[in-house]
Amino acid sequence: MPSAHVPPVDFDLRLVRYFTVVAKHGNFRRAAAELRLAQPSLSRQIQSLEKRLGVCLLDRTTRGCHLTAAGQAFLPQAEALLCSAELAARTTRAAAASGAVTIGYVGGLIITTAVRELRTSHPHADVTTLHLDWSDVHTALLDHRVDAVIAREPFPTDRVRVTPLYQEPRVLLMPTTHRLAGKESVTLDDFADEPLIRYPDPAYDAFWRIDPRPDGRPAPDGPLVEAHADKLEAIAGGQALALAPATNGNSTHRHDLAAVPVQGIQPCNVVIATRTRERNPLVTTFHETARSHLTGRDTLPALSIAPTSRAMGRWT
């Protein structure tokens, strides 16, 4: 008697990769730190993969997790899937005779002049752009979803070439009712005891909260958020403040937020990132084009009006 038809599984390779990292660590917390994800979010992603497969891959305990029999069987297949996907991406791009390139960018960074120049100099090439979340820069490059990214540091840089383009000063975002909202500028001492928004990625969190402080003290903890809208809501609601790049190109329409320039702290670096072994000549051309055209002059001027009369807030 013929067996019942089993519908094919629509694999999400991102979830497969998450599973291999959790399997490697045997611990959701350590895996989440490597993946730059919040632990609850990672747990939900693994549950989604298990639901698609219809099996339990991991046994969760208070001390960590370990592979079930199904998980042990799936792990080598998962690793093979990821290797095959990477090989497919490389082979496909090579077959395209380097006639296509995808440029990523984050936040409100403006890349128009460099992309336009690349299209003008290579009219027959397929030049596309893709907006990325700040946490997706490294993964998008290694997954070949993009070939170059204009981004703000910090982000993971293994197997990635990073070239500085320009710097942006930083501002302090706060409710318009905050005691510092009317100032022309502030220093770190002015908000040293104020909680700042926290981020899942340790390096990103340390930079955007200046943690630890120059005197070695930890930065006061604000709420941990991932979504941009949640960041703005937490600030407007008085739960915490946040540092952000000082460009009007990152402005928001929220009129209950104010931005004040911060003096005496390190600016953020805007860079171009590419894969270290990239052979696409269009990427090489864009790399040089970005260095020539993306100098910060394409962004709107830094905040030059009364801090309480203009709301700003989108960061990397």
Side-chain angles (χ1 to χ4, degrees):
M1 185 174 186
S3 58
H5 174 68
V6 178
V9 177
D10 183 14
F11 276 114
D12 184 334
L13 291 180
R14 178 174 53 91
L15 303 185
V16 174
R17 185 169 66 87
Y18 289 171
F19 165 73
T20 63
V21 175
V22 174
K24 177 180 71 174
H25 288 285
N27 183 284
F28 274 88
R29 179 180 58 81
R30 291 194 295 269
E34 177 178 328
L35 292 166
R36 272 74 181 183
L37 292 173
Q39 187 173 329
S41 176
L42 176 59
S43 181
R44 290 193 298 270
Q45 303 293 345
I46 297 300
Q47 289 171 0
S48 176
L49 177 61
E50 291 176 319
K51 183 177 180 180
R52 291 189 184 198
L53 288 170
V55 299
C56 180
L57 297 172
L58 296 163
D59 278 332
R60 283 85 162 167
T61 70
T62 56
R63 304 180 66 178
C65 62
H66 61 270
L67 294 173
T68 63
Q72 292 175 356
F74 182 60
L75 180 58
Q77 304 298 327
E79 292 170 339
L81 274 173
L82 295 175
C83 288
S84 295
E86 184 173 354
L87 178 61
R90 291 177 180 175
T91 303
T92 302
R93 288 187 176 276
S98 301
V101 66
T102 299
I103 310 300
Y105 63 103
V106 304
L109 293 175
I110 298 175
I111 62 173
T112 309
T113 55
V115 172
R116 183 190 297 124
E117 175 63 24
L118 184 63
R119 286 172 175 155
T120 299
S121 61
H122 294 76
H124 300 296
D126 182 13
V127 180
T128 59
T129 59
L130 180 66
H131 184 269
L132 300 171
D133 185 76
W134 65 267
S135 62
D136 203 24
V137 171
H138 185 253
T139 302
L141 278 169
L142 298 190
D143 288 351
H144 290 257
R145 282 182 283 134
V146 296
D147 303 297
V149 184
I150 306 300
R152 296 183 180 94
E153 293 182 315
F155 53 83
T157 57
D158 57 291
R159 291 183 285 169
V160 171
R161 174 190 179 190
V162 175
T163 303
L165 295 176
Y166 60 92
Q167 293 184 321
E168 293 176 324
R170 290 189 276 178
V171 297
L172 184 67
L173 293 174
M174 65 195 74
T176 54
T177 55
H178 193 274
R179 60 184 176 83
L180 299 175
K183 289 184 172 292
E184 291 186 2
S185 66
V186 294
T187 66
L188 183 57
D189 289 340
D190 292 323
F191 58 95
D193 297 323
E194 298 264 10
L196 296 182
I197 293 291
R198 292 185 294 125
Y199 305 94
D201 177 68
Y204 190 88
D205 182 75
F207 179 79
W208 287 104
R209 295 202 307 130
I210 314 180
D211 186 29
R213 297 296 164 76
D215 60 5
R217 291 186 301 165
D221 284 348
L224 176 68
V225 296
E226 296 183 69
H228 170 62
D230 291 336
K231 298 172 187 177
L232 299 186
E233 187 60 33
I235 298 168
Q239 293 181 275
L241 309 180
L243 291 168
T247 55
N248 284 352
N250 297 328
S251 63
T252 165
H253 296 298
R254 292 195 65 143
H255 299 293
D256 51 357
L257 298 181
V260 178
V262 182
Q263 304 296 329
I265 66 171
Q266 177 187 358
C268 62
N269 295 320
V270 177
V271 301
I272 177 172
T274 59
R275 290 178 290 272
T276 52
R277 297 184 179 181
E278 183 58 60
R279 293 192 176 97
N280 187 339
L282 286 173
V283 174
T284 302
T285 301
F286 181 75
H287 189 276
E288 298 306 315
T289 302
R291 293 182 63 189
S292 300
H293 288 76
L294 302 183
T295 61
R297 292 191 298 267
D298 283 334
T299 61
L300 296 176
L303 191 67
S304 60
I305 55 179
T308 56
S309 64
R310 178 77 178 238
M312 294 179 57
R314 185 183 302 273
W315 44 86
T316 52

